Amino acid sequence: MTTPEFKKTVLAGIPNELPAVKEFDKTLNHAPKRKDILNEAEKKLALRNALRYFDKKHHAVLAKEFAEELKTYGRIYMYRFRPDYKIYARPINDFPHQSKQAAAIMHMLSNNLDYAVAQHPHELITYGGNGAVFQNWAQYLLTMQYLATITDEQTLTLYSGHPMGIFPSHKDAPRVVITNGMMIPNYSKPDDWEKFNALGVTQYGQMTAGSFMYIGPQGIVHGTTITVMNAARKISKSEEDRKGKLFVTCGLGGMSGAQPKAAKIAGLVSVTAEINPKAAKTRHTQGWVDELHENLDELITRIKKAVAAKEAVSLAYQGNVVDLWERLVKENIKVDIGSDQTSLHNPWAGGYYPAGFSLEESNKMMAENPAQFKKEVQKTLVRHANAVNTLAAKGMYFFDYGNAFLLEASRAGADIVNADGTFKYKSYVQDILGPMCFDYGFGPFRWVCTSADANDLKKTDELALEVLQDMYKTAPDEIKQQLSDNIAWIKNAMENNLVVGSQARILYADSEARIRIAEAMNKAIAENKISAPVVLGRDHHDVSGTDSPYRETSNIYDGSQFTADMAVQNFVGDAFRGATWISLHNGGGVGWGEVMNGGFGLVLDGSADADRRLKQMLFWDVNNGIARRSWARNKEALFAIKREMNRTPNLKVTIPNLVDDNLLEGLV
Ligand SMILES: NC(=O)c1ccc[n+]([C@@H]2O[C@H](COP(=O)([O-])OP(=O)(O)OC[C@H]3O[C@@H](n4cnc5c(N)ncnc54)[C@H](O)[C@@H]3O)[C@@H](O)[C@H]2O)c1
């Protein structure tokens, strides 16, 4: 399809005449059949809801077709309306538009649905199994049409993918306001998602799926590298001494597959277990794993050799992780760092495989005898925890990777809980990302060049490098390490070929770095050194964007980790400080009802308006979270917010008075 034809098709929105029925494409990855959860009356309601997007004259045909989709897939995706053009992050001017900001948003949402990027593109799912951009193709078509016609004095409102309409606003207002999965709190259990999503009235937006900010695997590689590198620093401050240290973990899947690559960058010997040969092979072919081993005897010999030679090498064990751990105990091998990234947030439906069974046997048991499967998983988790405990007693540093390993092991009855009810081991946010990054304001800042031109990305990398190097000269000791890690990352980013989909870059940065890099990019756009607008954004897994008691806010210890004020304040504050679009989501990462998270996009077009907006919005977007973290008495955040107040006379944050705990003894 030519670009003019593409523009015409987008402007037409939902077509007047029915397009031909689409064949189900078996070559693509598709979402699993969802639970049959609606009763008869509710199924009729789901159909009535779906048909309201279409002219009455089509209802007889579509009602039958949608009823069949609901029966076969558990959802109504409206497959027939999937467009014939290729969906990807086209250069910004290829999108029909009246507002450059709206065209940039089309660029971003198209990236989330690109076949090269999305997990289940025909079901409009970007990642995480259920991270949806829209619920159905009618919502996509209508949203694209609205974005193509919207002006800078209007705002589009999206309710869980449904475009409610374009409302008059003003040029400083967001062009799009997104909410995903916002439920009355009592209706936020996993089955509520199944039911209300099947009815077509809500969706699970994950974090960067429903907010149009996903940038492929690059995001996870950077985050995992920072985590593994800092885990290594916890066992030794000397780079030389860290060489040849042994890191053992599990999972070569979506996110977990970044572990061996990160461990290699950190200079470690790593062993990652993976039971699924397909997943193991993918990472091996990709070059993220150096060697695959199926034989434990051979693997043990190889580990000993690699440790002795201080090789930076990533080994994988194709088999069950518990067999690996138990063998390491038996051989009395010193493991320096341990973790786990099985999908234990989903323990009974394939997230964690029990020992003693092949993958096929487990999958069969899961479907035919779920009660037995659960028993076997729990038995395995107890063995898993026992092996970890034995090695930890010999000096291994173990951390939970936000995958609910400790939670599920404790529920299985493993010896993993202290007398005071806390877990024996800390999570990666409690020990690493929280105190070393989030509390200082460092988080997954990112940008996308809407020209879709790699030369522009290269220029932005150079600008970011200049800013970081300049900041490093006068930075306090507390943040020198973070800056130097990011300098190394951005220097190598181009050579590491991290781009999949849009021309995007991730860089952990604090408030000052985010603002200075954005200013430099906006100036370069004004001077035509960068050829088109740049979109700024971030992962929701950040300083201020997410309230999630077992992950992003797990290092908040004043009881407020179960509140969601920070994420909601962030969303609202970003909106009136100049964000181009904003989003607020229930769910994401750890599950529906377990987290509130939000994000933004901000378009830099080289204008003075963009310069004003970026300063106001980025400052708030980071410092809101630091203020909250400092009120929770986190010492790193107290340092960061006091430093910020010294620099910014307009900022006045309430500082906590610390209590001498001896005073409290014997009072209650
Ligand atoms: N990487 C991060 O930054 C990060 C952050 C927070 C949480 N997490 C969590 O990490 C988990 C993993 O995410 P993912 O996207 O990689 O999931 P995934 O399901 O794609 O990968 C997990 C892998 O573990 C393997 N596995 C399961 N049980 C096993 C066993 N007993 N032995 C050997 N292999 C086994 C599976 O075959 C699968 O390939 C999730 O729970 C996620 O929420 C990751």
Side-chain angles (χ1 to χ4, degrees), residues 119 128 220 223-224 227 250-259 273-277 279-280 283 317-322 340-346 350-355 359 380 384 401-404 428-429 433 541 551-552 589-590:
Q119 185 182 18
I220 207 68
T224 311
T227 304
C250 183
L252 291 173
M255 292 196 261
S256 50
Q259 294 177 105
E274 172 55 65
I275 198 158
N276 185 337
R283 296 305 184 191
Y317 170 56
Q318 200 184 297
N320 198 296
V321 70
V322 175
D340 184 78
Q341 258 197 68
T342 50
S343 275
L344 271 164
H345 68 273
N346 178 28
Y352 184 90
Y353 284 90
L359 188 67
T380 308
H384 194 154
Y401 214 132
N403 63 336
Y428 76 121
V429 173
L433 280 189
H541 180 57
R551 234 171 73 171
E552 285 77 357
V590 286

